[in-house]
Amino acid sequence: MASFRVFDVSIKPGAVHSARFDDPNLIAYGGLAPLVRLAERCGLPGLVAERVRLPASKNGTGSFPAAKVMALIAGMAAGADSIDDMDRLRHGAMKRLFTGVRAPSTLGSFLRSFTHGHVKQLHAVFRRFLPRLAAHTPLLPGMDTVAYLDLDDTIKPTHGYAKQGVGYGYNKVKGLNALIATLSTPLAAPVIAATRLRRGGVNSVRGAGSFAAEAIRTARACGVAGMLIVRADSAYYAADVIAACRALDVRFSVTVRMNASIKAAIAAIGEDAWRPIKYPQAVWDSEEERWISDAEIAEVEYTAFASKPKKQQVTARLIVRRVKRLNPAAVPEGQGELFTAWRYHAAFTDTRLPLVDAEADHRRHAIVEQVIAELKNGPFAHAPSGSFQANSAWLALAALAFNLTRACGTLAGTFHAKATCATIRDRLINVPARLARSARHLTLHLPERWPYQDAFEALFRTVHAPPSAA
């Protein structure tokens, strides 16, 4: 019998006698230095100072908004998901490395002073900052050819009775509704193009038309010059969403609900029009609760919103995917034989892609759910205030922190350009460092043999390089 030697990691006998928190030169988040530097190079503090105008008060709540916004974003980038968590910025040498570090109580009072108008001012900062970030970093490669705007909303669960705007949403969970738009390309991981916090019991499509228009304009300001496709699930199959896309000359691809008109259009598709496809990776069918690897697809011309005035009616392609049902007993009563044997999924689109490509392209709109999951596992893990407007500002700041973190990843190299924010935070931001001063210059001393040293140095060199002449 072969013998195996077990290797383990253990503390050397007698190596540790005590632990003391007494070094004023250490910081836990060395990677915040290049992240904050990138924000400054893209003009974020100046945008906040210019656009966010809170009223003056005796306790100074509305003063120095740029410093407070920067502190909140830095805390979120370092992993803070509540106002109290912002205290992590006040340790060791952080005040020597950064100016304007504020106490959590100060930041909480600042957020609670926001009104709806101030939140809109913060959104204006967001819309102007993302294009600057895209201009300074390779955030959206390939945007001159094709880009995607994906819309979705989520319920952020809340507890207790003190939070404003809380209600029971579409999933029967009590909380607040966050509407998110992400911008991506086939070569780039998604960034957040727009956010909007809504009351928990709101209908998903409410205000989605104006929200889509806002996100489209932000995408164009980022330099998206090629084809732009707005993708969404059936909650956003509405006349005002499609109208916003057509008014701003972008394409759309939206899942449709199985109403009588859609069923009639599907029933009219001849059997010879269906073509089989096989997925390289299995697709999850939520109704059948199984993975599927093959299906059949077809398309037919369809006029949507036929009950509305002529100018709101839209004729485009209805792309349909069908898979065989395994459980006929689960078929709703009253459906005909056509819908008993097959389960259908349909998308309404005006893209000019070939059928197979258009169907696959639409399914990829689920990428927005990954961003939502990252937000809810990161800075938006909580809606930290009882004030609805404070939570709205918090969501906008979380999106700013997300985009900044993603931009840092693009400067660190190919792998980190598509890594999750949690991975970027773990490898490039939450790096312990010791601060030393020599000849009036500060130097960060980081751990020897850090596994991601090359990526960190690439990021650090780029953001501290002299500005180009252009």
Side-chain angles (χ1 to χ4, degrees):
M1 180 181 293
S3 60
F4 297 92
R5 183 179 178 183
V6 178
F7 292 88
D8 63 346
V9 178
S10 59
I11 298 175
K12 293 181 179 180
V16 177
H17 297 281
S18 62
R20 298 176 183 173
F21 290 88
D22 61 358
D23 195 325
N25 298 313
L26 294 180
I27 58 175
Y29 312 113
L32 282 182
L35 182 139
V36 171
R37 178 62 176 151
L38 177 60
E40 292 173 343
R41 291 189 71 151
C42 295
L44 181 55
L47 281 173
V48 175
E50 176 189 348
R51 294 283 170 178
V52 180
R53 302 292 182 86
L54 277 76
S57 60
K58 292 182 179 180
N59 60 5
T61 298
S63 59
F64 305 109
K68 293 169 183 175
V69 164
M70 291 298 295
L72 286 162
I73 290 174
M76 291 176 176
D81 60 14
S82 68
I83 295 173
D84 287 343
D85 254 2
M86 293 297 162
D87 208 29
R88 66 180 59 200
L89 297 180
R90 301 197 303 161
H91 70 270
M94 289 292 284
K95 284 192 175 182
R96 291 175 57 198
L97 185 59
F98 300 106
T99 60
V101 176
R102 298 298 198 269
S105 59
T106 301
L107 298 176
S109 298
F110 171 69
L111 288 171
R112 288 189 294 273
S113 69
F114 272 65
T115 65
H116 175 70
H118 298 128
V119 173
K120 299 297 285 183
Q121 292 172 0
L122 193 56
H123 286 165
V125 170
F126 183 94
R127 292 193 300 270
R128 288 162 176 78
F129 180 67
L130 184 59
R132 295 188 183 188
L133 206 57
H136 282 78
T137 66
L139 197 60
L140 293 166
M143 63 181 175
D144 54 338
T145 303
V146 63
Y148 304 98
L149 267 175
D150 297 301
L151 311 182
D152 203 359
D153 65 321
T154 184
I155 299 295
K156 178 62 224 169
T158 59
H159 306 281
Y161 301 94
K163 291 185 185 294
Q164 297 174 348
V166 168
Y168 286 91
Y170 53 82
N171 58 358
K172 310 303 181 185
V173 172
K174 185 176 74 171
L176 296 169
N177 184 290
L179 183 56
I180 308 291
T182 63
L183 176 62
S184 63
T185 75
L187 303 175
V191 294
I192 298 174
T195 65
R196 185 178 295 179
L197 191 68
R198 306 182 293 183
R199 298 184 181 276
V202 71
N203 188 295
S204 291
V205 78
R206 183 174 180 180
S210 62
F211 182 77
E214 177 185 329
I216 291 167
R217 292 188 180 99
T218 300
R220 291 302 191 197
C222 287
V224 175
M227 181 171 62
L228 181 60
I229 304 174
V230 173
R231 303 183 296 195
D233 63 22
S234 60
Y236 303 96
Y237 176 62
D240 58 344
V241 174
I242 303 301
C245 295
R246 292 168 69 86
L248 294 172
D249 195 27
V250 303
R251 303 291 178 177
F252 59 83
S253 183
V254 184
T255 305
V256 299
R257 292 178 288 273
M258 283 293 162
N259 57 31
S261 176
I262 295 295
K263 290 177 182 177
I266 294 173
I269 300 175
E271 279 300 313
D272 57 347
W274 295 96
R275 55 183 298 183
I277 58 172
K278 195 167 186 68
Y279 300 119
Q281 297 178 334
V283 177
W284 177 253
D285 188 318
S286 57
E287 185 170 313
E288 292 280 317
E289 295 186 345
R290 65 186 176 99
W291 293 96
I292 59 172
S293 57
D294 53 8
E296 294 182 351
I297 57 175
E299 68 174 292
V300 64
E301 187 178 86
Y302 178 74
T303 300
F305 320 121
S307 62
K308 294 185 178 294
K310 191 74 174 178
K311 64 180 181 180
Q312 292 183 278
Q313 297 177 18
V314 179
T315 300
R317 305 163 68 189
L318 188 68
I319 294 176
V320 187
R321 182 183 82 227
R322 70 179 186 181
V323 295
K324 286 189 175 180
R325 288 188 181 273
L326 292 185
N327 185 15
V331 177
E333 185 177 354
Q335 288 195 357
E337 186 63 30
L338 175 69
F339 294 91
T340 300
W342 299 92
R343 170 159 166 71
Y344 293 84
H345 307 262
F348 187 56
T349 180
D350 65 347
T351 63
R352 298 173 183 173
L353 299 171
L355 174 60
V356 174
D357 295 335
E359 191 273 337
D361 202 59
H362 176 74
R363 282 188 288 106
R364 284 191 283 267
H365 83 274
I367 193 173
V368 65
E369 297 177 8
Q370 300 174 16
V371 174
I372 290 174
E374 286 194 59
L375 283 176
K376 294 173 80 169
N377 288 326
F380 198 52
H382 307 283
S385 177
S387 165
F388 180 82
Q389 302 303 341
N391 288 325
S392 295
W394 183 271
L395 176 61
L397 292 168
L400 279 167
F402 179 95
N403 289 347
L404 257 175
T405 303
R406 173 71 66 207
C408 286
T410 65
L411 296 177
T414 305
F415 172 83
H416 292 93
K418 290 195 173 184
T420 64
C421 285
T423 298
I424 296 170
R425 184 182 306 119
D426 179 64
R427 296 182 176 188
L428 303 179
I429 296 175
N430 295 356
V431 187
R434 179 173 59 84
L435 198 63
R437 181 182 291 275
S438 176
R440 298 184 181 180
H441 292 286
L442 292 176
T443 300
L444 285 175
H445 293 273
L446 300 119
E448 185 181 25
R449 299 179 65 186
W450 183 252
Y452 317 107
Q453 176 181 340
D454 291 344
F456 185 95
E457 289 180 339
L459 166 62
F460 196 90
R461 283 195 306 267
T462 302
V463 299
H464 286 85
S468 62

